[in-house]
Amino acid sequence: MQFSYYPGCSMDTTGITYKLSIEYICSKIGLVLHEIPDWNCCGATAAHSKNKMLALALPARNLAQAEEEGLDLDVAVPCASCYSRMKHTVVAARQDENMRRKLEEIIGMPYKAKADVLNFLEIFSRPEMKRACQEKMYRTLKGMKVACYYGCLTSRPVEVTGASSTENPMEMDEIVALTGAEPVEWDFKTECCGASHQVDAPKAARPLIERIIRNAKANKAQAIITACPLCNLNLDMREGEINKAKGTRYDLPVYQFTELLAVCMGAGAKDIGIHKHFFPAFDLLNEYLRKAGD
Amino acid sequence: MSVKRDENWEPQILAFCCNWCTYTGADLAGLNRMKYPENVRVVRVPCSSRVNPQFILRAFQKGCDGVLVCGCHPGDCHYATGNYFTRRRFMLMQRLLEYNGIDPKRFQARWISGSEAAKFRDTVTRVSQEIKELGPNKKFQEEWYSEGGAGNE
Amino acid sequence: MDRCLNNRENAKALAARIAKDAGVDLQDCYQCGKCSGGCPMAGDMDLMPRQIIQYMRLGLMGDVLRSKSIWLCAACHTCVDRCPHDINLPGLIEGARMEAKRRGMIGVKEVDKFTDIFLENVKMFGKNQEVVLEGLYNVTTGHLMQDMVNVPHMLKHKIVGPELNTTKQAAEVKELMLRAQAAENERKRGEQ
Amino acid sequence: MSRIGVFVCHCGTNIAGTVDVARVAEAMKAEPGVVFATDYKYMCSEPGQQMVKDMIKEHKLDRIVICSCTPRMHENTFRKMLKDTDVNPYMLEIANIREQCSWVHTDKEKATEKAIALARMAVAKVGRDFPLFTSTIPIHKKALVIGGGIAGIQAALDIADAGYQVTLLEREPSIGGRMVMLDKTFPTLDCSACISTPKMVEVSAHPNIELRTSCELEDVSGYVGNFEVTIRQKARYVNHDICTGCGLCETKCPTKVISEFNQGMSERRAIYKSFAQAVPAKPVIDPDHCRKLQEGKCGVCQAVCPLKAINFEDKDTTFTDTYGAIIVSTGYQLIQWQDLYPEYGGGRFKDVISGLQFERLVNASGPTEGHILRPSDQTEPKDVVIVKCVGSRDPKKGKSYCSRACCMYAAKHAHQILEKIPDSNVYVFYMDVRTPGKGYEEFYDRTRKDGANYIRGRVAKIYKEGGRLICRGEDSLLGRQVTVEADLVILETAMVPADGIGEVVHKLGIAMDADGWVQEAHPKLRPVETQTAGVYLAGTCQGPKDIPDTVAQASAAAAKVCGLFSKSEMETSPMTSKVDQSKCCGCGHCEVCCPYKAITLVEIDDREGPKKIRRTVASVNSGLCQGCGCCAAACRTGAIDLLGFTNDQILREVDALCQ
């Protein structure tokens, strides 16, 4: 299976474990990702809060480059925010021919809006992907209770994402279940993590993180699983801070769903950077792999 | 078609109104003493779907300058579905008339309920004005054929 | 403060313009409060999301433009997703924020600064540089020590480093941004 | 040659003030066929009518034109007047020179011209009038009531008490509907079962009522006074003629099934009575769950039945009967909120229940014997949240309408919790509190004084933490987000039409609105009638309503039926469609567009030259025809025409107006 690939700005830095685990899985199951040659930032929340045309044009340049490659592939996007921005552009260009032409003008390249934009949950939900992963997994995380956290932007707004459910999606739960881990029923799957407000409005935004972690914990999860570098960073980096500031004792490591898949395919901690997490993430995985007799 | 501008010319307008909605609305306009042009004359029919295309052709042939067909709002028909047939027949009829060179403004359909007296007044006033601007209809009339028919246009 | 509701045509016209751009009919709202009830940021907002609509309807635009709420919205779209009338509240807030910015009324300076620096960053490098972003943000807002505790971990695990990862044709992106600005201005003029 | 008399009314100054009535009468004298024309101050008055009668005699008039107010006002008056004369009441036309002339114009000259044109139009039409005679149809004095809830029960009893035969049809094994599920009724708090079960028993014992449970409507044909109705009796597998309802079978049946009556909160057996006071008080077998019927094994009930009433070979049967009138009382059900509100858990939380579930919980004969225990762990809840408008007033996820009864039963639920559970706290999230009814606002006052906390805002999300349900919403009066931790959450969900209403409506040829409620003939003036004569409405099938309104409407529908049955025949309007079979080509266009299924295609014997042939032609059932004339406009050969508004007459009107 092949896709054009738009990594996004965080994949080399704060999204490093996401990147490494995706690469590991690719090498195992023969998934081929063609990185868009000279991609640029998607504009994230910043662009669309200032300038609508810019918010549509920045992703358009990337999508147009993918088209220029001539591979005729859909574009895979790991980050939920990048995914949302790029999907907005595809939808806008397809719905409104004038807008598409306008975008071509702004980016100075042809853009036909042929390719679809897919997030990694959509990609791994495909039956053939699930089958391929299952064939390569020989370790199990049997019994590990996890809360799958989807965030806002893979599901909302539903006119753009076409998500099956905006309150209780199940795609990640089903993928993660392949590893033997047990996704718990919980209620904050699509609550907002605060995104960049964790930096620019920390006082207002920190409770968002705490609410998510608290609900996961209250519903007996041992870890939170994400599918976005920023969601992961926000939860991972702030959990310890919250414990320190409020005297709470949350103890949930935060993994990307691809990390669990990679570990079960045999990836070592170093291969995918388990130690790079802010909140200690090694021991829990280790414990469950051991329990399963590894 | 050349239009003779005669300031005193008054058009002849026929309005086929269904008994249950528009005719009642027209009565209510009277009860409320609303005013509208005298050149609109109402023919009462039980339902707008009673209006046979033949009636419309005859009206134009007899020198009528505009024809209105009015009934209950879609979904409100006293006979449940009659006005849906009216709507379909109207579309066909209007296209047929247009094909024959009759301005679509001369043949209009409107949905006016029994309580919409003001809408009745406004509708007939506007239609009357529009048709006044179009001038007399000559299509389908003896005179028009005797003067050479389409060849004259 | 007395809020006399008469003679607010100008403010109502502004509200109507913002609503039109967001595809919203302000009269759809019956103030049920489901938006505010589910808003993750409502705890720190001075105007509830529901109230923003009522203020706009009455032409009390000053209160809206001055509010912190329009800057605190995280654009998570939870409100519109649950709204019985499908009112695009994030769209209204976005419009109000742009208008407030144009008038220099900035309810939460940090939020505005962050987005400005973010976009400057993109203009300069084509891609966002997290180190540069965080550094400049701390310096310009005066929150010098914010998040510095996490830096050692990041350096140790090479999560961030001194090297920059830029778009090769960064100049192209910069030009794109200028053209987009022009297009945006033109779009706005078209509305008015 | 026709002898037409024209009478122009002054209506005081109403007409004469704007129209020169004498000139109108004068102008009419010149019209062909007119032998007499005059004007008079008030045509509708006694002397006015007498003058018409005198002139008919004096001038041997055979057709009358009256130029006066709208025909909607006095057409019937003048027709009645003609009954005493030699002129047929349908040889009358009215020119509307008041509402559509004198009242809407000010220019006397132009108004008079228009009045003359309108009078001329009437004269042209009346010249082509021919005598029409009303016919009568016999009325079969037996009523069918579809749906055995409180509406159907009330209507059936009222009609039966008036001395007419009634068949009460119910698709479930017992009558009683929703009302019998309820615990207490607002605002008086009397026990719902205590007031409805005696009525159920009365139905079963009434000599004029034939009770048909486990039955569905199969087919309807005919028309008012004479509906031919086919009813399907579903197989019950228990012979109710023999069964005494001893209940032994139920105790021995090994199969447990979720109880519909207790809203999924308890179990019943595969052979069961829906509830203790069911009427008829005899069990049926649920074939979907019976082991014997599904797998061929078991048969315990048959073995234990002392009277051998069990028959596994039972089959559906149909029977046909004739009814003069039909009342639709199919009722409502609650909206399936689980699919619509994932933010309220989407049904994942056992302790988020519907209002009807709460009714069963709080009912002494319910699954908990009247103790309010939450379903998940059977403990008594201390903090209860009530959420109103779930599915109502929500155009995106549910229905845009208000369900009308929820505000009141929410208050009742709050009251019952506070009364039954000491130290309990109740929080009611509301958007508006609507209490238009006798004693309703007082009941709401009382509930607040009982201690219910009313919070103005819609709950945005319900989530679970550590066994507690957390309801998050805004108190819009505070302008702040609030959360309430609850042990039990009650959702007051929207009423929607009962499943299967579409089929009933289709079979009866009546109409539904966009939400599926049955459409009444007129929202204000004909609220219990439908567009089809002889078919009436009662209760929530027409729209959400509470019990008092339902019962009132049921009695109103019954009164309509009794009114119809008080005569042995009814007059029908003669202004119906008529087919000239010699012109008809049998294309069937008219059949398709008739909203009343009044036109059928029939085969007739005919001749083509010397040859005998069979030919298909249209035929109108004048009992069903309502005289809309849609068929006449659809007819390509002009074979079908509408009496009273014939093609010829309307064309003459057009000609007269375009002179």
Side-chain angles (χ1 to χ4, degrees):
Chain A
M1 199 177 278
Q2 301 187 45
F3 293 99
S4 281
Y5 180 51
Y6 174 81
C9 307
S10 330
M11 281 306 262
D12 283 322
T13 55
T14 47
I16 186 73
T17 62
Y18 202 12
K19 176 180 163 160
L20 293 174
S21 55
I22 288 173
E23 283 172 356
Y24 189 89
I25 296 169
C26 286
S27 71
K28 289 288 172 189
I29 65 168
L31 174 68
V32 183
L33 301 174
H34 302 274
E35 186 167 332
I36 294 171
D38 191 36
W39 54 270
N40 54 268
C41 172
C42 71
T45 35
H48 84 99
S49 70
K50 296 264 163 177
N51 179 332
K52 286 194 178 180
M53 295 307 295
L54 181 61
L56 294 173
L58 283 169
R61 180 176 176 275
N62 298 320
L63 293 168
Q65 282 190 55
E67 275 179 9
E68 203 178 29
E69 288 273 275
L71 298 171
D72 214 10
L73 296 172
D74 289 340
V75 183
V77 184
C79 167
S81 179
C82 303
Y83 165 74
S84 174
R85 294 326 317 167
M86 306 197 61
K87 193 105 188 187
H88 266 98
T89 298
V90 174
V91 171
R94 282 181 185 171
Q95 275 177 356
D96 181 355
E97 178 61 17
N98 287 334
M99 178 56 83
R100 192 189 62 75
R101 283 207 215 101
K102 189 86 218 163
L103 288 174
E104 283 186 331
E105 224 172 84
I106 296 174
I107 62 177
M109 333 167 48
Y111 172 53
K112 304 293 167 219
K114 271 188 301 195
D116 268 323
V117 170
L118 301 170
N119 64 45
F120 273 69
L121 288 176
E122 288 170 326
I123 292 172
F124 279 87
S125 285
R126 295 184 173 183
E128 62 270 33
M129 282 295 287
K130 282 186 179 166
R131 224 176 302 121
C133 288
Q134 208 146 22
E135 275 167 20
K136 294 295 170 189
M137 286 194 283
Y138 61 91
R139 297 204 291 205
T140 167
L141 295 166
K142 197 166 181 306
M144 186 167 114
K145 290 198 173 357
V146 298
C148 293
Y149 174 73
Y150 296 72
C152 334
L153 296 173
T154 52
S155 57
R156 285 182 304 259
V158 75
E159 311 84 81
V160 173
T161 63
S164 59
S165 168
T166 54
E167 301 281 356
N168 189 26
M170 290 303 290
E171 288 83 359
M172 199 196 307
D173 294 58
E174 282 160 16
I175 298 166
V176 165
L178 298 176
T179 67
E182 291 172 16
V184 297
E185 266 192 7
W186 70 306
D187 310 311
F188 276 59
K189 283 181 176 181
T190 59
E191 287 279 329
C192 180
C193 71
S196 62
H197 283 337
Q198 293 301 347
V199 175
D200 59 27
K203 192 175 89 40
R206 216 62 105 220
L208 276 58
I209 304 261
E210 196 194 339
R211 280 202 286 264
I212 293 166
I213 298 175
R214 188 175 66 214
N215 191 267
K217 181 80 184 159
N219 286 290
K220 310 228 163 43
Q222 295 168 295
I224 296 175
I225 315 298
T226 62
C228 166
L230 185 57
C231 297
N232 190 281
L233 175 73
N234 274 345
L235 293 167
D236 190 23
M237 188 158 86
R238 307 300 178 189
E239 185 170 353
E241 291 178 19
I242 289 167
N243 278 343
K244 205 181 272 177
K246 304 192 68 177
T248 47
R249 299 164 101 170
Y250 297 119
D251 57 352
L252 290 79
V254 188
Y255 306 104
Q256 305 284 13
F257 78 101
T258 47
E259 290 178 58
L260 301 194
L261 294 177
V263 161
C264 289
M265 290 177 191
K270 283 237 171 80
D271 295 330
I272 57 172
I274 297 289
H275 291 292
K276 292 177 191 279
H277 283 291
F278 289 84
F279 200 85
F282 178 78
D283 289 350
L284 185 72
L285 281 182
N286 199 27
E287 182 192 329
Y288 274 91
L289 289 175
R290 281 244 180 97
K291 264 192 203 164
D294 195 353
Chain B
M1 205 191 308
S2 66
V3 178
K4 273 180 238 152
R5 287 283 169 200
D6 175 2
E7 283 309 310
N8 295 321
W9 175 76
E10 285 291 335
Q12 282 259 38
I13 297 164
L14 264 191
F16 290 98
C17 295
C18 90
N19 182 46
W20 305 98
C21 284
T22 315
Y23 196 87
T24 316
D27 280 350
L28 187 63
L31 203 62
N32 293 338
R33 309 296 198 271
M34 293 170 169
K35 304 296 170 203
Y36 55 82
E38 294 86 356
N39 51 38
V40 178
R41 275 115 208 235
V42 174
V43 179
R44 176 176 171 232
V45 285
C47 176
S48 57
S49 68
R50 173 66 189 93
V51 178
N52 200 320
Q54 196 189 355
F55 305 162
I56 295 148
L57 291 174
R58 176 72 146 240
F60 285 123
Q61 197 183 6
K62 286 280 172 180
C64 193
D65 303 297
V67 176
L68 256 173
V69 175
C70 300
C72 314
H73 285 270
D76 285 349
C77 180
H78 179 81
Y79 303 102
T81 52
N83 53 7
Y84 293 126
F85 288 96
T86 309
R87 184 160 65 183
R88 263 177 267 165
R89 288 171 190 160
F90 167 77
M91 308 271 267
L92 281 171
M93 193 66 195
Q94 198 179 43
R95 282 170 63 186
L96 173 74
L97 291 174
E98 193 178 359
Y99 178 76
N100 279 288
I102 289 196
D103 193 298
K105 279 188 195 144
R106 291 192 191 274
F107 178 52
Q108 305 195 26
R110 287 285 187 283
W111 314 123
I112 300 169
S113 80
S115 58
E116 293 175 324
K119 185 175 177 188
F120 179 82
R121 176 198 58 196
D122 296 346
T123 302
V124 296
T125 309
R126 195 174 54 247
V127 168
S128 167
Q129 190 54 43
E130 279 173 10
I131 290 173
K132 204 165 180 175
E133 282 162 17
L134 284 175
N137 169 50
K138 292 189 171 174
K139 275 280 164 70
F140 295 147
Q141 291 169 38
E142 289 297 330
E143 201 189 339
W144 180 69
Y145 288 109
S146 63
E147 281 172 8
N152 263 350
E153 287 179 4
Chain C
M1 187 171 59
D2 249 9
R3 282 182 177 76
C4 177
L5 299 180
N6 305 99
N7 305 322
R8 293 196 164 269
E9 275 60 38
N10 287 343
K12 281 185 180 168
L14 172 61
R17 211 158 57 230
I18 291 172
K20 188 170 166 237
D21 192 27
V24 170
D25 181 349
L26 291 173
Q27 298 305 335
D28 275 344
C29 176
Y30 55 19
Q31 296 280 301
C32 72
K34 203 173 182 185
C35 48
S36 311
C39 176
M41 298 298 288
D44 265 56
M45 286 186 173
D46 45 2
L47 279 188
M48 286 287 120
R50 169 188 60 79
Q51 290 174 315
I52 290 176
I53 294 183
Q54 181 69 355
Y55 277 73
M56 285 180 74
R57 277 206 289 228
L58 295 176
L60 299 166
M61 285 308 291
D63 298 75
V64 174
L65 299 182
R66 265 191 302 276
S67 72
K68 290 199 314 187
S69 300
I70 58 172
W71 298 90
L72 288 178
C73 168
C76 72
H77 282 80
T78 304
C79 49
V80 45
D81 190 49
R82 292 178 185 157
C83 174
H85 288 283
D86 217 14
I87 295 171
N88 179 10
L89 196 44
L92 290 178
I93 289 177
E94 211 169 88
R97 191 179 340 195
M98 288 183 199
E99 187 61 31
K101 169 89 173 167
R102 203 174 65 77
R103 298 176 183 217
M105 298 156 85
I106 292 159
V108 184
K109 296 230 162 13
E110 289 85 349
V111 175
D112 183 46
K113 211 54 180 178
F114 185 88
T115 44
D116 279 350
I117 297 169
F118 188 101
L119 290 179
E120 277 308 311
N121 224 327
V122 177
K123 203 183 253 179
M124 216 177 308
F125 306 112
K127 295 179 187 173
N128 177 42
Q129 309 299 324
E130 282 169 334
V131 183
V132 180
L133 174 66
E134 188 71 27
L136 274 176
Y137 172 81
N138 283 12
V139 172
T140 51
T141 56
H143 303 304
L144 289 178
M145 291 314 291
Q146 183 174 326
D147 287 330
M148 283 301 121
V149 288
N150 294 312
V151 171
H153 176 92
M154 292 202 199
L155 291 173
K156 178 177 161 204
H157 290 287
K158 302 208 173 73
I159 294 171
V160 295
E163 69 280 6
L164 296 176
N165 182 5
T166 64
T167 305
K168 283 174 229 108
Q169 303 296 330
E172 237 180 74
V173 178
K174 187 174 177 176
E175 277 165 36
L176 178 159
M177 291 177 78
L178 293 173
R179 282 195 297 270
Q181 189 59 53
E184 175 75 0
N185 294 343
E186 187 190 329
R187 191 181 70 84
K188 292 229 142 153
R189 266 199 307 280
E191 266 164 27
Q192 286 175 16
Chain D
M1 189 67 191
S2 55
R3 299 185 64 81
I4 303 169
V6 181
F7 299 86
V8 185
C9 182
H10 297 200
C11 197
T13 57
N14 276 311
I15 296 171
T18 322
V19 171
D20 183 345
V21 282
R23 217 178 102 199
V24 176
E26 205 49 42
M28 286 308 104
K29 284 182 184 160
E31 288 297 310
V34 176
V35 295
F36 176 78
T38 186
D39 58 280
Y40 186 73
K41 210 150 185 77
Y42 290 107
M43 286 313 307
C44 60
S45 67
E46 189 52 42
Q49 295 194 27
Q50 192 53 50
M51 180 184 69
V52 180
K53 290 181 192 170
D54 294 345
M55 290 307 116
I56 288 172
K57 276 191 190 142
E58 194 179 325
H59 296 278
K60 298 196 173 54
L61 303 178
D62 63 356
R63 289 146 216 268
I64 306 295
V65 167
I66 294 178
C67 305
S68 61
C69 53
T70 170
R72 297 174 53 83
M73 184 76 109
H74 281 311
E75 195 169 50
N76 273 335
T77 315
F78 293 122
R79 280 212 179 120
K80 268 186 197 153
M81 167 192 86
L82 291 177
K83 272 189 180 169
D84 304 336
T85 71
D86 294 337
V87 179
N88 180 279
Y90 292 88
M91 307 284 274
L92 164 80
E93 294 300 331
I94 293 188
N96 184 348
I97 60 167
R98 190 178 77 174
E99 280 84 350
Q100 296 184 8
C101 188
S102 71
W103 277 353
V104 289
H105 306 311
T106 41
D107 183 330
K108 197 160 180 176
E109 180 57 33
K110 284 183 177 172
T112 304
E113 267 172 36
K114 177 169 173 180
I116 291 172
L118 293 174
R120 196 185 291 131
M121 171 171 89
V123 167
K125 190 180 179 201
V126 85
R128 292 290 159 151
D129 272 349
F130 43 89
L132 297 176
F133 301 95
T134 54
S135 56
T136 55
I137 45 173
I139 292 167
H140 200 91
K141 295 186 184 184
K142 185 174 185 184
L144 174 68
V145 178
I146 304 169
I150 186 60
I153 290 171
Q154 182 69 37
L157 285 173
D158 284 355
I159 299 168
D161 284 345
Y164 302 111
Q165 296 290 312
V166 184
T167 298
L168 178 57
L169 200 67
E170 169 59 55
R171 65 176 167 186
E172 299 297 325
S174 170
I175 55 169
R178 299 287 163 200
M179 181 175 172
V180 81
M181 294 175 161
L182 307 181
D183 181 50
K184 287 184 173 161
T185 55
F186 61 79
T188 45
L189 291 175
D190 34 7
C191 154
S192 185
C194 311
I195 58 177
S196 59
T197 50
K199 279 189 180 280
M200 291 160 60
V201 174
E202 208 185 324
V203 163
S204 68
H206 204 295
N208 286 346
I209 298 179
E210 176 195 25
L211 179 59
R212 289 285 191 171
T213 54
S214 302
C215 278
E216 287 189 15
L217 191 67
E218 182 89 356
D219 189 40
V220 181
S221 63
Y223 47 91
V224 56
N226 303 275
F227 293 107
E228 290 288 314
V229 181
T230 306
I231 292 166
R232 170 173 296 273
Q233 170 76 62
K234 291 182 280 187
R236 290 192 278 225
Y237 307 98
V238 178
N239 185 341
H240 279 200
D241 294 336
I242 306 175
C243 174
T244 58
C246 73
L248 188 60
C249 51
E250 275 191 74
T251 59
K252 299 295 180 192
C253 175
T255 310
K256 289 179 178 170
V257 185
I258 297 288
S259 158
E260 297 87 355
F261 188 79
N262 278 332
Q263 294 288 297
M265 295 185 300
S266 72
E267 287 169 334
R268 60 164 172 85
R269 304 303 168 101
I271 183 164
Y272 72 111
K273 240 170 37 177
S274 324
F275 54 103
Q277 305 99 315
V279 171
K282 293 170 187 178
V284 296
I285 290 178
D286 165 5
D288 296 337
H289 294 96
C290 172
R291 280 194 207 172
K292 178 75 178 177
L293 290 168
Q294 287 294 319
E295 300 159 30
K297 285 176 255 176
C298 189
V300 172
C301 49
Q302 196 172 38
V304 300
C305 178
L307 295 162
K308 303 284 169 239
I310 312 283
N311 170 20
F312 290 115
E313 307 299 316
D314 199 7
K315 294 268 177 304
D316 287 10
T317 53
T318 58
F319 61 96
T320 303
D321 208 343
T322 308
Y323 296 97
I326 297 175
I327 292 181
V328 185
S329 53
T330 49
Y332 75 97
Q333 63 189 33
L334 294 178
I335 200 167
Q336 279 292 317
W337 67 272
Q338 288 89 341
D339 311 330
L340 306 172
Y341 292 90
E343 65 269 43
Y344 295 165
R348 287 188 292 122
F349 307 137
K350 275 189 170 174
D351 297 331
V352 177
I353 61 174
S354 74
L356 203 50
Q357 283 179 308
F358 179 78
E359 294 286 348
R360 295 315 301 151
L361 268 190
V362 76
N363 188 276
S365 62
T368 55
E369 294 176 340
H371 302 289
I372 304 173
L373 302 176
R374 61 184 205 159
S376 66
D377 55 6
Q378 301 297 311
T379 59
E380 194 171 69
K382 285 290 175 212
D383 296 304
V384 181
V385 166
I386 295 175
V387 185
K388 295 208 287 191
C389 301
V390 177
S392 310
R393 302 181 69 195
D394 188 343
K396 182 154 117 190
K397 298 196 171 202
K399 301 292 179 183
S400 54
Y401 53 77
C402 162
S403 290
R404 276 185 68 188
C406 334
C407 278
M408 285 308 296
Y409 68 69
K412 185 195 68 178
H413 292 165
H415 167 82
Q416 286 180 300
I417 294 161
L418 291 166
E419 186 184 60
K420 285 208 170 188
I421 307 176
D423 309 322
S424 58
N425 301 298
V426 177
Y427 303 85
V428 183
F429 281 88
Y430 71 99
M431 290 202 289
D432 295 288
V433 179
R434 295 179 172 175
T435 59
K438 206 166 155 185
Y440 289 9
E441 181 69 12
E442 292 84 343
F443 188 85
Y444 166 49
D445 284 343
R446 175 174 159 190
T447 307
R448 284 198 324 276
K449 283 180 190 146
D450 288 338
N453 302 288
Y454 271 76
I455 301 165
R456 199 221 164 265
R458 203 173 207 152
V459 169
K461 183 179 174 106
I462 298 171
Y463 56 95
K464 203 172 171 186
E465 271 172 21
R468 298 268 267 177
L469 294 160
I470 303 177
C471 304
R472 189 153 61 147
E474 186 201 8
D475 185 326
S476 70
L477 302 178
L478 297 180
R480 280 172 192 275
Q481 218 170 43
V482 292
T483 56
V484 179
E485 286 189 26
D487 304 307
L488 180 69
V489 177
I490 306 168
L491 305 179
E492 311 296 25
T493 44
M495 288 190 205
V496 293
D499 265 349
I501 183 66
E503 286 164 46
V504 173
V505 159
H506 181 72
K507 284 171 186 161
L508 291 171
I510 54 179
M512 295 191 295
D513 66 18
D515 291 310
W517 303 109
V518 182
Q519 189 76 52
E520 63 277 16
H522 189 281
K524 289 172 191 69
L525 302 177
R526 297 171 70 198
V528 299
E529 291 158 80
T530 65
Q531 293 292 4
T532 302
V535 180
Y536 305 92
L537 298 174
T540 48
C541 66
Q542 179 262 345
K545 54 180 66 68
D546 59 13
I547 295 168
D549 285 3
T550 296
V551 172
Q553 206 188 22
S555 288
K560 283 281 169 193
V561 171
C562 292
L564 179 69
F565 286 0
S566 67
K567 292 170 273 181
S568 52
E569 299 188 312
M570 67 181 285
E571 271 194 357
T572 57
S573 163
M575 292 161 109
T576 55
S577 289
K578 194 181 154 208
V579 182
D580 178 349
Q581 295 189 334
S582 67
K583 282 191 196 165
C584 178
C585 66
C587 68
H589 282 357
C590 50
E591 186 198 20
V592 175
C593 70
C594 178
Y596 303 99
K597 298 186 199 159
I599 302 176
T600 44
L601 292 178
V602 295
E603 287 210 332
I604 55 161
D605 291 316
D606 202 359
R607 281 184 174 282
E608 203 173 74
K611 234 175 30 197
K612 271 190 175 176
I613 53 161
R614 298 278 292 165
R615 208 157 62 81
T616 305
V617 294
S619 164
V620 177
N621 181 333
S622 58
L624 288 176
C625 177
Q626 302 285 314
C628 65
C630 191
C631 52
C635 183
R636 34 166 95 170
T637 61
I640 198 162
D641 212 344
L642 178 63
L643 302 180
F645 288 97
T646 62
N647 287 331
D648 181 36
Q649 286 179 315
I650 297 175
L651 285 172
R652 270 165 203 281
E653 286 187 282
V654 169
D655 290 357
L657 279 181
C658 294
Q659 271 179 28

